[in-house]
Structure formats: structure tokens, C-alpha cells
């Protein structure tokens, strides 16, 4: 759980500045296009024709299965990579997981947009990626297997952060974070702690998830996490699941006092963050827990030093499942009720209704959305919400689902947002 606010010249030694952002999202090649889509309420989920899926190698038996959903949030041009720019041989570039190729390009872009195109000082890298599906394709190619060592280095998760540091000459701490769906937001938390401990002077934090082949649907199972129709209806009575897609995002972080001294462009300030685990106090390994979520939200608020009734937007995990959505709102309500009894003062939304669930990049896409909302002083609509899930009592909670593009009014307090991300286990 992270708490972020619009920069208001209030400086403490524990604040972290966000001085750069980069990413690629379904339907958007960069954060600017991403924001335009969010403003316009665009759903960036692609629905395939049967011909497209046949051309991608999907067999007819699967295509005729009524539970095979022909939808996925896609990235454009994942096959392209400027190998010579990063001093890769063509063969080496060919066997490297697209997740690692695009993350490297995105890391350089993030540094450039923050004003640090070349390595300066101690810069850390904290990131995670999904399991390499590209590796499975390579193993089916006998010619490629002659390059087994190169393939393993190019597809192992452990190479993501350290290869980025190697190619960009970054000399701060560099390691992978892996916590399933909360990976990239946990990476941001760890990066903040590293900055506050003076282990580095700047940090890149984020995540990437790219599954290949891109043109493929998925099998729907009743009571599972996946949507039966390719749409994510977070918090709605008709919510039946989410849809996983491809994307990546990175933020550049710096201690606020240093960012001010160096004249950096400050997009937003991270006031505090927290992570925890439920242990065994839940129904199963994959099940969420009200108490565990409530505890980490309280910890994040305490770390940020802000009162809940000054937080007027929360970008939720919001997977659109009948089990997860009520638990998330119950946990948020329990946490906020420790200090306020006010109702319906805090807007909520879920970027998954726009771009699906980006897996290891889900948290960072949520955070970038929240930072853009702060920057442009608007709260974009959360899609597909008509009637609340009957297990959610919004009327007596601090929250309401924001369904239209709205001016983010301050009412005499700084604009403050919370961002939640929860991982399996």
C-alpha cells in the first residue's frame, strides 16, 4: 500500500520524489497516451477473430470451446528491439525474453525523461517480471538450443534487474522482487527504503509482464479469477473476474530533499508505504484476507503521517472478482474507520477495468495512473460499474466508485492518493 500526494512544498526527510515515469500499456506506448485513454474511458482489451487465433496456432477444438474467451490486453511491437544500440549481437537479442528487452528500453527512457540520460551517482534497480513463456517457445526450436547458456541467461528472472544495471552502467543495488501480482509495487516500496537508508541516490522501480504468443485467449472456469467475457467489472454486481494482459512500467525515485536541491521535475511525492503478509490466517494460499489488508493500509497511513480523511482517492487492486472486491472494500473501510466515521468522501477506481490485470506490472500501472491523476488534477472513470456488488456497503463506507471523469477538488487539503496491490500468498 502506497500513499502519494501532489507536491505542496512540504518537505520531510522521509519523503520520496517521483521524478520520472515510463511505460508501455495496452493501447498506449507511453504514459501520455495512457492518460489520454484513461481520461476518455477507453477499454484497451482486444477481442480476436477466429482467423487471427487460427493464424496464431490456436487449434480448432479450443476455438469451438464455449469457455475459451477470445480476448486479451495487448502491447504493440514487442518483437522490435534496437540490439546494436545496447551492444547485443543479433543472435543474443533474438533469444532474450521480450520482457527483458522492453524493460531495458523502458529503463533508459525513464532515466532520460527524468533528466538523467547517463548514469550519475549510485542508481539502484528494483523490479520483477513474469515467468518466461518465451523460453518455452525457444525450447521447441532445436537450432536455438545450441545456445542454451545464452538462452538461460536471457530468460531467467534473476537477469532482469542486473542486466539493466549492466547495460546502463548503474552501480546501486540491483535485484529482482517477486510477489506475484504485487511485485512492482513491492519493488517501489523496497526502492524507497533503499533510498531512505542511503544505499543509493536514485532508484528505478517497476515491473513487466509479457506473455507470448500475444494473440491467444484463455480458458474460463466458473468461480475462478478470470472473466467469462473479457471485461473486468470491478466492484459491480455483475463482476465475475479479470483478464490478464501485457504491459510494463517504471518510476524514477529520489529523496525529496535531493530532488529539490537538484531542481528535478517532481511529479508526485511518496509520503509512506508498507508491506506485510497474511500468514496462515485465511481460507487458502490464494485467498485474500480482510485483517491482513486492513493492517497494511493502517501501517501505510501511519508511515505517511496522514489522516485517512485527507485521502480522497484510492487506486485499488480491484480485480473484479466476487470474493476479492468485497474483501478489499471491507479492509479499506476497517483501516479508515480507525480514525474517521465520514462516509463517501473518498473516490476509488481500478485501472484493470481499462487495461486488464498486468500481473507483475499491475501495481506500477496503478501507481502511474494515480500520479497522472495528481498531475492533471482529475480522477478518471472506473469502467463497467452500474450496480454495486451486493456484498459491498458503499453507503456506510468512506468510499464511492468514481464512474465519470471528475475534477479532483482539494477542499483545503493536498490531493492525496492511496494505491493498493495484493499478491497471491
Amino acid at each position: 500500500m502506497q500513499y502519494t500526494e501532489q507536491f505542496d512544498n512540504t518537505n520531510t526527510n522521509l519523503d520520496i520524489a517521483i521524478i520520472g515515469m515510463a511505460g508501455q500499456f495496452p493501447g498506449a506506448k507511453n504514459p501520455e497516451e495512457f492518460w489520454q485513454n484513461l481520461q476518455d474511458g477507453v477499454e484497451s482489451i482486444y477481442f480476436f477473430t477466429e482467423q487471427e487465433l487460427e493464424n496464431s496456432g490456436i487449434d480448432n477444438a479450443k476455438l469451438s470451446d464455449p469457455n475459451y474467451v477470445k480476448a486479451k490486453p495487448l502491447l504493440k511491437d514487442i518483437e522490435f528491439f534496437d540490439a546494436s544500440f545496447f551492444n547485443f549481437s543479433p543472435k543474443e537479442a533474438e533469444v532474450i525474453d521480450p520482457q527483458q528487452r522492453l524493460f531495458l528500453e523502458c529503463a533508459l527512457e525513464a532515466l532520460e525523461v527524468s533528466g538523467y540520460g547517463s548514469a550519475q551517482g549510485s542508481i539502484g534497480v528494483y523490479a520483477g517480471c513474469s515467468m518466461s513463456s518465451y523460453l518455452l517457445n525457444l525450447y521447441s526450436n532445436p537450432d536455438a538450443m545450441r545456445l542454451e547458456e545464452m538462452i538461460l541467461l536471457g530468460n531467467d528472472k534473476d537477469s532482469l534487474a542486473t542486466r539493466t544495471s549492466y547495460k546502463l552502467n548503474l552501480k546501486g543495488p540491483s535485484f529482482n522482487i517477486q510477489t506475484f501480482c504485487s511485485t512492482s509495487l513491492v519493488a517501489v516500496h523496497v526502492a524507497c527504503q533503499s533510498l531512505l537508508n542511503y544505499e543509493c541516490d536514485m532508484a528505478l522501480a517497476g515491473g513487466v509482464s509479457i506473455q507470448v504468443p500475444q494473440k491467444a485467449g484463455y480458458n474460463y472456469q466458473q468461480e475462478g479469477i478470470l472473466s467469462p467475457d473479457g471485461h473486468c467489472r470491478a466492484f459491480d454486481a455483475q463482476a465475475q473476474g479479470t483478464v490478464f494482459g501485457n504491459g510494463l512500467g517504471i518510476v524514477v525515485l529520489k529523496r525529496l530533499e535531493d530532488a529539490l536541491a537538484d531542481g528535478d521535475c517532481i511529479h508526485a511525492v511518496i509520503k509512506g508505504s508498507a508491506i506485510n503478509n497474511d500468514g496462515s490466517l485465511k481460507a487458502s494460499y490464494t485467498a485474500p484476507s480482510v485483517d491482513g489488508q486492513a493492517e497494511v493500509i493502517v501501517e501505510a497511513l501511519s508511515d505517511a503521517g496522514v489522516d485517512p480523511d485527507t485521502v480522497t482517492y484510492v487506486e485499488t487492486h480491484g480485480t473484479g472478482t466476487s470474493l476479492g472486491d468485497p474483501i478489499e472494500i471491507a479492509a479499506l473501510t476497517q483501516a479508515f474507520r480507525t480514525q474517521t466515521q465520514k462516509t463517501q468522501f473518498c473516490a476509488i477506481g481500478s485501472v484493470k477495468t481499462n487495461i486488464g490485470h498486468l500481473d507483475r506490472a499491475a501495481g506500477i500501472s496503478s501507481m502511474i495512473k494515480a500520479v497522472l491523476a495528481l498531475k492533471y488534477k482529475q480522477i478518471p472513470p472506473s469502467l463497467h460499474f452500474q450496480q454495486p456488488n451486493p456484498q459491498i456497503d458503499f453507503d456506510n463506507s468512506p468510499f464511492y466508485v468514481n464512474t465519470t471523469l471528475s475534477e479532483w477538488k482539494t477542499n483545503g487539503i493536498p490531493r492525496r492518493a492511496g494505491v493498493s496491490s495484493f499478491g497471491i500468498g
Side-chain angles (χ1 to χ4, degrees):
M1 187 74 183
Q2 314 254 342
Y3 278 94
T4 317
E5 74 175 16
Q6 181 186 32
F7 179 53
D8 64 352
N9 291 317
T10 302
N11 181 22
T12 78
N13 292 331
L14 299 180
D15 287 349
I16 300 295
I18 300 170
I19 63 170
M21 299 181 292
Q24 295 186 33
F25 313 92
K29 292 289 288 183
N30 53 54
E32 291 72 28
E33 291 182 10
F34 182 42
W35 175 248
Q36 187 64 56
N37 287 342
L38 292 173
Q39 280 184 308
D40 295 341
V42 174
E43 181 187 49
S44 300
I45 295 173
Y46 189 82
F47 290 83
F48 303 106
T49 65
E50 290 206 2
Q51 186 62 55
E52 285 176 313
L53 292 171
E54 284 179 10
N55 294 343
S56 189
I58 307 300
D59 62 62
N60 289 327
K62 186 167 284 189
L63 291 176
S64 61
D65 185 341
N67 288 323
Y68 186 72
V69 183
K70 305 176 181 71
K72 189 174 185 178
L74 303 178
L75 287 184
K76 290 183 179 179
D77 303 329
I78 66 168
E79 68 271 27
F80 296 120
F81 178 63
D82 194 342
S84 61
F85 180 85
F86 291 102
N87 198 28
F88 284 105
S89 70
K91 183 57 68 175
E92 186 179 12
E94 185 180 357
V95 300
I96 292 175
D97 187 348
Q99 295 184 113
Q100 304 208 22
R101 292 185 223 152
L102 268 69
F103 188 86
L104 177 58
E105 291 182 330
C106 188
L108 178 58
E109 182 184 351
L111 285 172
E112 289 177 337
V113 298
S114 65
Y116 297 92
S118 59
Q120 300 181 31
S122 174
I123 302 177
V125 180
Y126 308 83
C129 62
S130 296
M131 182 177 69
S132 176
S133 58
Y134 192 66
L135 178 63
L136 302 178
N137 294 324
L138 290 172
Y139 271 138
S140 65
N141 184 338
D143 293 333
M145 285 316 299
R146 289 198 292 266
L147 304 169
E148 186 169 10
E149 183 177 349
M150 190 182 294
I151 287 172
L152 291 176
L153 285 174
N155 289 267
D156 195 309
K157 288 180 179 182
D158 289 4
S159 297
L160 179 71
T162 50
R163 174 178 280 110
T164 300
S165 295
Y166 170 63
K167 287 295 182 178
L168 301 184
N169 193 30
L170 309 180
K171 299 178 180 178
S174 182
F175 57 91
N176 278 34
I177 309 277
Q178 298 296 157
T179 61
F180 285 106
C181 310
S182 60
T183 289
S184 53
L185 210 60
V186 172
V188 172
H189 170 81
V190 174
C192 290
Q193 297 304 306
S194 187
L195 285 164
L196 294 174
N197 289 331
Y198 288 83
E199 295 173 344
C200 56
D201 299 321
M202 289 172 53
L204 300 176
V208 56
S209 182
I210 299 172
Q211 297 298 295
V212 293
Q214 279 212 106
K215 290 186 176 180
Y218 60 89
N219 293 309
Y220 165 72
Q221 291 184 330
Q222 194 169 4
E223 305 300 326
I225 191 175
L226 296 174
S227 166
D229 61 3
H231 301 289
C232 178
R233 299 176 173 85
F235 309 111
D236 189 76
Q238 300 302 314
Q240 297 181 73
T242 194
V243 51
F244 281 88
N246 293 341
L248 69 156
I250 298 173
V251 292
V252 183
L253 306 175
K254 199 171 185 179
R255 289 180 291 272
L256 177 58
E257 56 186 347
D258 294 341
L260 290 169
D262 294 338
D264 295 315
C265 175
I266 299 172
H267 298 281
V269 173
I270 298 175
K271 300 292 293 181
S273 62
I275 56 176
N276 75 348
N277 193 275
D278 298 310
S280 59
L281 297 176
K282 52 185 182 176
S284 71
Y285 176 62
T286 60
S289 155
V290 172
D291 289 342
Q293 289 186 21
E295 287 170 7
V296 80
I297 295 164
V298 169
E299 289 172 13
L301 286 163
S302 176
D303 187 64
V306 301
D307 295 329
D309 57 9
T310 67
V311 178
T312 48
Y313 180 67
V314 173
E315 175 61 24
T316 64
H317 190 55
T319 55
T321 61
S322 57
L323 175 66
D325 285 357
I327 285 177
E328 182 167 10
I329 299 305
L332 277 164
T333 300
Q334 184 173 310
F336 274 51
R337 283 287 177 256
T338 61
Q339 295 190 50
T340 181
Q341 296 301 312
K342 291 169 61 178
T343 60
Q344 296 197 308
F345 65 88
C346 183
I348 64 170
S350 171
V351 76
K352 294 178 181 64
T353 64
N354 301 90
I355 61 173
H357 192 330
L358 301 191
D359 198 6
R360 272 59 162 194
I364 199 67
S365 61
S366 294
M367 185 175 184
I368 289 173
K369 174 189 172 182
V371 172
L372 291 167
L374 287 166
K375 180 177 180 179
Y376 291 103
K377 303 176 184 178
Q378 292 179 315
I379 301 176
S382 196
L383 308 183
H384 309 310
F385 181 82
Q386 295 179 331
Q387 297 292 328
N389 183 314
Q391 298 180 63
I392 302 175
D393 183 8
F394 279 117
D395 290 342
N396 294 305
S397 80
F399 309 104
Y400 66 95
V401 179
N402 187 72
T403 58
T404 60
L405 181 64
S406 307
E407 178 188 356
W408 192 344
K409 298 179 181 179
T410 60
N411 298 321
I413 57 176
R415 291 179 184 86
R416 286 178 175 155
V419 185
S420 294
S421 192
F422 303 108
I424 288 174

